[in-house]
């Protein structure tokens, strides 16, 4: 599915015009999301689409999804929660108080167990020696939060094997959580880097003994690109990766979350100044990819959730093609600073949670 029957590259060109001439100015002028609520702005978007593309303007929402498993949408780094509460229903809670705050805004939380299970050291992540004690201490509160609907499951962490956690320890930790919270009582999820294959982890070791833990309910990987719109990129690279390394290796009890890239950079160029993709270029690319991710997710029953990286931005993250240690480029801009991507994800999120 797409937001228009016209090929999205043409639609992106029309939206790019609006984004450059209107949307970005409105974002900077308002200092936030007030422009999203401006009906006149959205009407102007539709009008310009009609003028530029010579067809009917795109509808504000995509058609109803035939994938009834796709029920959850949210962002990484979704602070402030009030920014996205109207078009999301999933929050990654760092602690119980965080989950309670999210619930008051209608968000369902996955409670982080990162610090309960893992510890980072000179050799990367390892399983805590006292993980069982920590889990036992958390159990009464976690069950209370599950029972009253404040949380619906747990997030084991992000890019764990990439950060050098041994696959055997990953399974041990996941199995311990599953034993405490049987399948059907809580969703267990974690996200990995796109390092299955096998590939080297961040410690330089080829991880040849990795397998997706059977204790999980949801699994995801992150795979991003930074060079501008590439027609069919989501299907050619991300979906193919899932088909090759993930769908054939999950059980009948497991589904996936998709983690699209939705960020930008002011400094995405090589050190000699060669252009790659500036912030507006990123915005058009991420909006295009958003619709392609939804087209896939809305027709694939193996997908249960979409959670783009990220909303608020990550000043300590590398949003540029030119990677560290060149600290010039640690300026990752979140979706909140990407007007076209925000419009796309707002419509998609509303459709999913409707």
């Amino acid at each position: 599915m797409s937001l228009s029957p016209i090929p999205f590259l043409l639609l992106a060109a029309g939206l790019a015009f609006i984004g450059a001439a209107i949307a970005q100015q409105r974002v900077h002028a308002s200092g936030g999301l007030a422009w999203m609520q401006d009906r006149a702005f959205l009407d102007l978007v539709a009008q310009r689409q009609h003028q530029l593309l010579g067809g009917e303007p795109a509808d504000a929402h995509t058609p109803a999804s035939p994938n009834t498993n796709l029920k959850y949408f949210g962002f990484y780094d979704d602070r402030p929660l009030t920014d996205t509460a109207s078009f999301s229903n999933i929050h990654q809670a760092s602690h119980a108080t965080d989950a309670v705050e999210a619930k008051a805004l209608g968000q369902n939380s996955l409670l982080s167990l990162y610090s309960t299970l893992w510890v980072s050291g000179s050799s990367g992540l390892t399983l805590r020696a006292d993980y069982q004690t920590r889990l036992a201490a958390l159990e009464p509160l976690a069950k209370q939060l599950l029972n009253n609907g404040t949380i619906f499951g747990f997030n084991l962490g992000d890019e764990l094997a990439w950060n050098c956690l041994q696959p055997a320890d990953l399974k041990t930790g996941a199995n311990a959580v599953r034993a405490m919270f049987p399948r059907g009582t809580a969703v267990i999820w974690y996200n990995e880097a796109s390092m299955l294959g096998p590939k080297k982890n961040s410690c330089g070791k080829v991880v040849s003994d990795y397998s997706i833990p059977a204790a999980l309910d949801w699994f995801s990987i992150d795979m991003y690109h930074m060079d501008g719109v590439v027609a069919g990129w989501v299907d050619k690279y991300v979906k193919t990766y899932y088909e090759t390394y993930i769908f054939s290796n999950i059980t009948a009890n497991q589904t996936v979350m998709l983690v699209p890239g939705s960020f930008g950079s002011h400094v995405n160029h090589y050190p000699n100044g060669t252009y790659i993709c500036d912030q507006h270029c990123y915005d058009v690319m991420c909006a295009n990819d958003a619709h392609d991710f939804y087209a896939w997710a809305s027709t694939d029953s193996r997908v249960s959730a979409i959670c783009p990286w990220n909303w608020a931005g990550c000043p300590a993250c590398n949003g540029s093609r030119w990677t560290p240690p060149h600290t010039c480029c640690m300026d990752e801009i979140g979706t909140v600073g990407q007007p076209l991507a925000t419009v796309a994800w707002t419509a998609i999120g509303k459709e999913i949670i409707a």
Side-chain angles (χ1 to χ4, degrees), residues 266-351:
H266 290 299
V267 294
N268 188 26
H269 54 73
Y270 291 110
N272 65 4
T274 302
Y275 172 84
I276 300 177
C277 187
D278 64 13
Q279 182 184 4
H280 184 66
C281 167
Y282 261 98
D283 194 10
V284 175
M285 175 185 76
C286 292
N288 178 67
D289 288 351
H291 294 282
D292 287 351
F293 272 106
Y294 185 52
W296 165 20
S298 64
T299 57
D300 191 335
S301 62
R302 298 169 296 184
V303 180
S304 290
I306 300 176
C307 193
W309 170 270
N310 62 69
W311 176 256
C314 181
C317 297
N318 176 40
S320 171
R321 185 79 151 73
W322 182 245
T323 56
H326 303 276
T327 54
C328 67
C329 306
M330 312 303 280
D331 78 323
E332 194 168 281
I333 302 163
T335 304
V336 69
Q338 307 270 85
L340 305 182
T342 295
V343 169
W345 284 124
T346 299
I348 290 167
K350 287 182 176 181
E351 189 69 36

Side-chain angles (χ1 to χ4, degrees), residues 209-221:
D209 56 343
Y210 180 88
S211 61
I212 298 167
L216 300 177
D217 294 283
W218 294 355
F219 179 72
S220 62
I221 58 99

